[in-house]
Amino acid sequence: NHSSLPPLVTQLIKKMICWLFFLILKIVFTIICLLIGLIVVVHFMSEKTSMIYYGMSKKEELEHDQKIFGFSTHKMRYYTVQMMAFSLLKNKKRIFVPCDKVIKMYPKSFVGYFLKAGAYSNFSEKEMDEEKKRAEVRENLIKAKEMIKNFPDENRDNLIKYWMNEEFFEVDVIDMNEREYNSLVYPGRVNLDNIIEHDEGRLWTVSSTFHPKLGQDNKIIEIQSTIIKLDDEKIMIVNPADFSEKTIEYINGLGKVEYMVTSTFAHNVCLERCKENVWKDAKIYASTKKIDSKIKKWDGYLDDDTDQQFAQFDIEHKVIRGQLFKEVVLYHKPTKSLTGITDSNIDCRIERQLNMKIYSFSLGVYRGENEKYNYEDKSQSSNEIKYPLSTQSYNHFPLICKSPSELEQSINELLIDFDDIEILTEGHGGYIYGNEHINRSLEDVYSYTNTIKKWNILTRYYYGLLFLINANIHSAIYYSIIDKLTGAGK
């Protein structure tokens, strides 16, 4: 009967039980990893594949990081993954541990200070006084900024563009106003109503925000909606966002919103809000019947290529098979535009909020050199074209990329069937013009399938386990459970 025990003893008993459980789990986990490791060790010795950048060897990864950043980022990226894990687990007590480790291990690197600024920006007004939070964010940004100033010119320009942006780099961090602060930490708040017309009177993109939970302004993700005017003057919105009143008014001025589509199973929340509060009569379509949604009745599902539900509007859809996201792309023939790719890759050039930059850095989306090039410049020759799209390093996990061969085949079929694409719009922001640029960018971003196709299933699971072990995800889960039970994680 624990009720008669002192609270301190009760907490100790809970800690001991959790500690024993996780010790046993860790031992079993380690044994399994060692057994799998024995099976694939020959493969590791021969391949020496980078787990951060697909298509590179470990040696090429080191050379690349030295050239672009001036230091190796391999271990550093694992600590950033751990920081994100503590954030997702809502363990605000330990979220600074990975940041402090990076600062201690890499005293000449600015990354630890950006991590710490990002960690502080995770706190809501209820969790931390807003003035204190801003002061901490500013202090760490100042330290990071001063360190970047000392980098060689060839490294510094790239780092400024990605981590800070040139305009902000010239601003005194201490005296920056509300807009300047938000432009670095929460640009999604500043860049609302960023509407771009790609084909006159027929195709637009809107950069806006996605709030996983309404009312939590520090938990926002930038996404991009694509708006298509159909032949009958009706409007289709692909991947609706949390539009501002001004944007809703603009969209209504284009025509009646008749259709709303979510092209991936993870982006239905905003569509639900738009259906409930804005365009109540619009017909709604999901990428899969397995979508997790409070909407029980959809007007259609796009997980069958043979059932072309928008053919009357010269829109053809195609399922990208072999991956978890269950993405569907839509090709609008009149504008030669492709839209719908959302979670399987990200445009590296978009200015994002601080924590999204940390996410991109930690998972290999941001490689440094992507920032240099103008991808809209069609005058570049073929061998000069660099690719703006990149993919997350967890895409090699068997649970994410379920069938590399099927995924590769889907992309090849897409490029063959839609061989005249001139505009590509991405679900998390960004766009590319020009058929050659688009084809080579898509071929490049999905080329990791060539690497993991060669691995057997044990190798793939081992890589996934090794990634999680290196990032200390098991420790993050363990400490978060302990802190929750003892009330120490607040």
Side-chain angles (χ1 to χ4, degrees), residues 412-448:
N412 288 339
E413 288 175 358
L414 184 156
L415 294 175
I416 291 170
D417 293 348
F418 309 143
D419 61 355
D420 59 347
I421 307 168
E422 290 296 336
I423 305 170
L424 173 70
T425 63
E426 289 267 315
H428 275 288
Y431 53 89
I432 309 175
Y433 293 150
N435 183 257
E436 184 180 14
H437 284 71
I438 292 166
N439 285 355
R440 292 188 60 184
S441 293
L442 290 175
E443 287 170 358
D444 175 69
V445 77
Y446 291 107
S447 63
Y448 65 86

Side-chain angles (χ1 to χ4, degrees), residues 200-230:
E200 188 175 355
R202 297 193 294 185
L203 184 74
W204 302 261
T205 54
V206 180
S207 297
S208 193
T209 56
F210 164 59
H211 293 70
K213 290 186 179 179
L214 288 175
Q216 293 189 5
D217 279 351
N218 61 318
K219 303 285 186 185
I220 58 174
I221 302 169
E222 296 95 340
I223 62 173
Q224 179 170 263
S225 305
T226 299
I227 300 168
I228 304 170
K229 179 172 275 193
L230 307 173

